[in-house]
Amino acid sequence: MTEKEKQLFKALCKFKDSFSDTSLVEFATPTVLGHLFFNRMQGIAYDTLKRNRLLGNVNREFRNSLSTAFDQNVQKNESFRKCVMRLSEILCNCGCNVAMLKGAYLCSLYPNGYRTCNDVDLLVSPKDVTKIGELLSAAGFQQGNVRSGEFVPATRQEIIESRMMRGETVPYIKEVNLPFMRHFEVDINFSLDYKNGNEDILSHMLSNVCTKNVNGLTIPTLNDADFFIHLCAHLYKEATTLPWIEMHRDMTLYKYCDIYMLLSEMSDGLLQKIFARASKLGMEKICAYTILETMELFDIDHPTAYGISHAALDGDPYFRLRVVSPKDKKMLMYQTTDVTQRFFMEARDEDLREVDTYAKT
């Protein structure tokens, strides 16, 4: 991408900011369009152009592609909303602490059509995985995966390996045949990392599960501080674990946009509360990583967030550059320090070099 194309891409994604340089729209190229769709930012880009009365300034195909995608997002969100409501009903009398994460809550926080979600992630204690799985099975869900649009049941070996090695179950899937959502998927997570572990942290988070109502949708989820900390942990896991980088799923921008939206609306008091909580959980570096990466990608001016995050990483200058390869227990490090440059790389794994210490802290 050219520098102007990169600037336009970022400007279209920063929906909380003013679109100040309207001359950038002349760089609305197929390359920019592709990046918007690849990063699941097409709905936000469409409304950014619409709100700034710039739709008529871009190529017809560029405009129509975003318009159609936005309309699909709205319809898909309505389908997703119905599924989340039904899932809440299934879980309401489960007798254990369970939290819906990420998109289940966030989709309703964004303006409609901005963010979509393909599944619901549940956070539960390891001891409650079987109980939740039985409830889903009784409601018509089956474990497996959707491949080429068709459901493929999981083998017993896949089910066992996922629980033992990944800290999550094989997805529970039900055919619902709703607009833009043929299948509804539920993932049960019982770990915060790429592996099975962190039970103490998990227990602390689940002890503070609460019920939230957002735009008429009532769901069980984590409190504000723990929800943000978990979101940071999930982004960090995918951005710093080699298989995700190799699959080009490590820096998909919609994940950073979630942090951008929440951070833009966050008071200094809540931010300080989050870091106090993260410090108790031993996760302050992870929160600092996610915040600083997001601040640079979205050009956020937030002195309090910057100061607290830099203080959390004091004495560990390479924390934001380290990547772990779980399979061969190797530690790698990015050579490029600028996060925006890394984001636009076509093959980020080629920028990594092995270092001596295997320690993901």
Side-chain angles (χ1 to χ4, degrees):
M1 295 178 77
T2 67
E3 190 59 35
K4 289 294 185 181
E5 287 174 328
K6 293 176 184 178
Q7 290 175 22
L8 173 62
F9 171 82
K10 292 181 71 171
L12 290 174
C13 296
K14 295 190 291 184
F15 69 96
K16 288 285 186 179
D17 298 12
S18 61
F19 196 105
S20 55
D21 188 358
T22 58
S23 67
L24 287 173
V25 295
E26 67 178 278
F27 301 97
T29 64
T31 300
V32 174
L33 185 65
H35 271 268
L36 290 169
F37 275 85
F38 186 84
N39 286 280
R40 290 171 58 178
M41 300 297 292
Q42 64 271 29
I44 289 175
Y46 171 77
D47 202 52
T48 297
L49 289 171
K50 182 180 179 181
R51 284 185 292 104
N52 288 278
R53 299 181 179 180
L54 294 170
L55 285 171
N57 295 54
V58 299
N59 176 275
R60 183 185 67 176
E61 302 307 325
F62 192 100
R63 176 177 63 250
N64 289 348
S65 295
L66 294 181
S67 174
T68 300
F70 183 86
D71 291 341
Q72 290 178 354
N73 281 2
V74 171
Q75 294 180 64
K76 184 174 182 178
N77 278 348
E78 181 58 31
S79 297
F80 183 68
R81 180 184 177 88
K82 290 178 181 177
C83 290
V84 171
M85 290 176 65
R86 175 58 184 141
L87 181 59
S88 293
E89 293 171 357
I90 294 170
L91 297 174
C92 67
N93 295 314
C94 67
C96 57
N97 288 331
V98 55
M100 294 189 194
L101 305 170
K102 298 163 22 190
Y105 178 57
L106 290 170
C107 280
S108 295
L109 283 185
Y110 279 95
N112 196 17
Y114 273 37
R115 192 193 194 281
T116 61
C117 194
N118 299 313
D119 55 27
V120 168
D121 286 275
L122 300 179
L123 189 66
V124 305
S125 170
K127 65 181 177 60
D128 295 323
V129 171
T130 299
K131 180 189 292 186
I132 299 300
E134 289 173 349
L135 283 174
L136 293 174
S137 296
F141 288 81
Q142 300 179 70
Q143 283 189 275
N145 293 279
V146 176
R147 298 193 176 103
S148 301
E150 300 297 328
F151 174 75
V152 180
T155 65
R156 179 171 177 78
Q157 182 177 356
E158 288 172 335
I159 292 172
I160 293 172
E161 286 181 352
S162 184
R163 289 188 62 163
M164 293 294 292
M165 302 300 294
R166 296 173 55 194
E168 62 183 15
T169 63
V170 171
Y172 285 80
I173 296 173
K174 183 175 182 179
E175 188 167 347
V176 292
N177 291 313
L178 292 170
F180 299 102
M181 183 171 285
R182 179 181 172 187
H183 298 94
F184 178 48
E185 177 179 323
V186 177
D187 296 324
I188 303 176
N189 298 267
F190 49 94
S191 174
L192 301 176
D193 207 339
Y194 59 86
K195 54 186 181 298
N196 188 351
N198 307 108
E199 287 190 33
D200 288 342
I201 297 176
L202 191 66
S203 177
H204 280 294
M205 284 190 167
L206 288 172
S207 67
N208 290 315
V209 166
C210 61
T211 300
K212 290 187 177 181
N213 187 295
V214 52
N215 294 326
L217 184 64
T218 302
I219 64 171
T221 188
L222 301 174
N223 65 28
D224 289 343
D226 284 353
F227 185 90
F228 186 82
I229 291 169
H230 175 270
L231 204 61
C232 289
H234 186 81
L235 187 152
Y236 172 77
K237 175 188 73 173
E238 295 183 351
T240 64
T241 306
L242 185 60
W244 289 89
I245 297 169
E246 293 174 332
M247 291 186 292
H248 304 286
R249 295 176 60 189
D250 55 314
M251 290 187 73
T252 317
L253 196 66
Y254 80 93
K255 293 179 285 191
Y256 295 84
C257 191
D258 292 342
I259 304 297
Y260 161 69
M261 177 184 70
L262 294 175
L263 195 60
S264 297
E265 301 173 355
M266 191 177 294
S267 67
D268 286 355
L270 177 56
L271 187 63
Q272 290 165 350
K273 180 180 178 181
I274 286 170
F275 269 90
R277 173 69 165 162
S279 180
K280 289 182 180 179
L281 298 175
M283 299 176 70
E284 65 272 26
K285 285 186 177 182
I286 288 173
C287 288
Y289 170 98
T290 303
I291 288 172
L292 291 174
E293 297 280 292
T294 302
M295 288 183 71
E296 290 187 20
L297 282 171
F298 282 88
D299 306 311
I300 300 172
D301 181 19
H302 196 312
T304 301
Y306 184 86
I308 294 178
S309 298
H310 264 280
L313 295 182
D314 186 40
D316 196 353
Y318 301 112
F319 187 83
R320 289 172 60 191
L321 301 176
R322 290 200 290 267
V323 167
V324 68
S325 175
K327 181 175 66 174
D328 49 20
K329 295 187 176 180
K330 291 182 178 179
M331 182 64 67
L332 310 167
M333 188 175 294
Y334 279 114
Q335 304 305 293
T336 301
T337 59
D338 184 273
V339 64
T340 298
Q341 289 184 31
R342 293 203 310 271
F343 175 80
F344 286 110
M345 287 179 178
E346 292 187 4
R348 278 183 288 276
D349 55 327
E350 294 179 2
D351 191 59
L352 292 167
R353 298 292 181 272
E354 186 178 344
V355 292
D356 293 335
T357 305
Y358 179 78
K360 194 176 182 185
T361 57

